[in-house]
């Protein structure tokens, strides 16, 4: 004898199958979607690297000594700063990274009370303006005037802002 009980079980089975297939499709499609928010992660990593390098350069070897960063800024040593900064940034276990940089020092002029800056490291010829550069800054306390820079009050310590633009070319 044939009755309508078999038809109900068939409809339940088909509905359950459709639900399982729809669930599987949703799970697979959401895990493989590339979002535009993921594009900033390499920039964040580069910014953290630059920040760590500046912090490391601003840490003296022993108590009472002057940090390398303070020495580079106070002597206005472009070559030394660039070589040390890129040496730390480009260090990898295998090979080297292709990072480039430029740096400015910002200070307050004592007599005119204006904010001024000067280049510590000029950008090299790879800078076109289309690169995705990150800005890394660090405050440095100086005891005297940096060589070649006038207008700072030499009678007291002052803080200058070291600003580094870092990019991959």
């Amino acid at each position: 004898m044939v009755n309508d009980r078999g038809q109900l079980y068939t409809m339940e089975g088909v509905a359950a199958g459709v639900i399982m297939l729809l669930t599987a499709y949703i799970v697979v499609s959401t895990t493989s979607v590339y979002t535009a928010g993921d594009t900033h992660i390499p920039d964040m990593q580069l910014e953290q690297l630059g920040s760590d390098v500046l912090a490391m350069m601003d840490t003296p070897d022993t108590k009472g000594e002057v940090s390398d960063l303070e020495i580079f800024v106070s002597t206005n040593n472009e070559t030394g700063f660039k070589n040390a900064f890129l040496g730390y940034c480009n260090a990898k276990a295998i090979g080297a990274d292709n990072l480039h940089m430029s740096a400015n020092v910002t200070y307050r002029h004592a007599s005119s009370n204006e904010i001024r800056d000067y280049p510590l490291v000029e950008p090299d010829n790879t800078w076109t303006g289309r690169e995705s550069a990150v800005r890394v800054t660090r405050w440095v306390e100086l005891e005297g005037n940096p060589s070649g820079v006038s207008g700072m009050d030499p009678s007291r310590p002052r803080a200058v802002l070291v600003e580094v633009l870092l990019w991959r070319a």
Side-chain angles (χ1 to χ4, degrees):
M1 305 227 324
V2 176
N3 59 17
D4 58 350
R5 287 186 179 177
Q7 185 178 7
L8 183 62
Y9 291 133
T10 304
M11 287 175 46
E12 284 179 355
V14 170
V18 168
I19 290 172
M20 287 188 295
L21 287 174
L22 184 62
T23 303
Y25 172 76
I26 290 172
V27 168
V28 169
S29 67
T30 58
T31 58
S32 62
V33 171
Y34 178 75
T35 62
D38 293 340
T39 58
H40 70 283
I41 291 175
D43 291 340
M44 288 173 41
Q45 292 171 336
L46 188 60
E47 185 177 358
Q48 186 63 50
L49 173 68
S51 180
D52 289 346
V53 168
L54 279 180
M56 185 177 67
M57 290 175 67
D58 197 25
T59 305
D61 291 335
T62 59
K63 185 177 178 180
E65 285 189 5
V66 178
S67 70
D68 290 341
L69 184 59
E70 186 176 342
I71 292 170
F72 291 137
V73 172
S74 64
T75 59
N76 209 3
N77 185 352
E78 174 183 356
T79 306
F81 179 76
K82 183 176 182 177
N83 290 340
F85 188 86
L86 288 179
Y88 291 135
C89 282
N90 286 325
K92 290 175 59 175
I94 299 173
D97 207 347
N98 191 18
L99 297 177
H100 299 273
M101 53 94 65
S102 68
N104 284 336
V105 176
T106 305
Y107 65 97
R108 185 181 63 86
H109 193 271
S111 62
S112 65
N113 208 19
E114 295 176 341
I115 303 299
R116 297 186 181 177
D117 66 341
Y118 64 91
L120 181 61
V121 177
E122 295 283 343
D124 54 15
N125 58 0
T126 63
W127 177 254
T128 63
R130 293 186 304 256
E131 290 83 3
S132 179
V134 295
R135 182 179 317 271
V136 181
T137 60
R138 181 89 178 175
W139 286 99
V140 179
E141 186 176 338
L142 299 177
E143 292 297 325
N145 280 340
S147 62
V149 178
S150 63
M152 290 188 195
D153 184 7
S155 64
R156 60 185 176 89
R158 82 225 22 94
V160 297
L161 181 68
V162 176
E163 180 181 53
V164 177
L165 282 178
L166 189 61
W167 69 91
R168 282 190 170 87

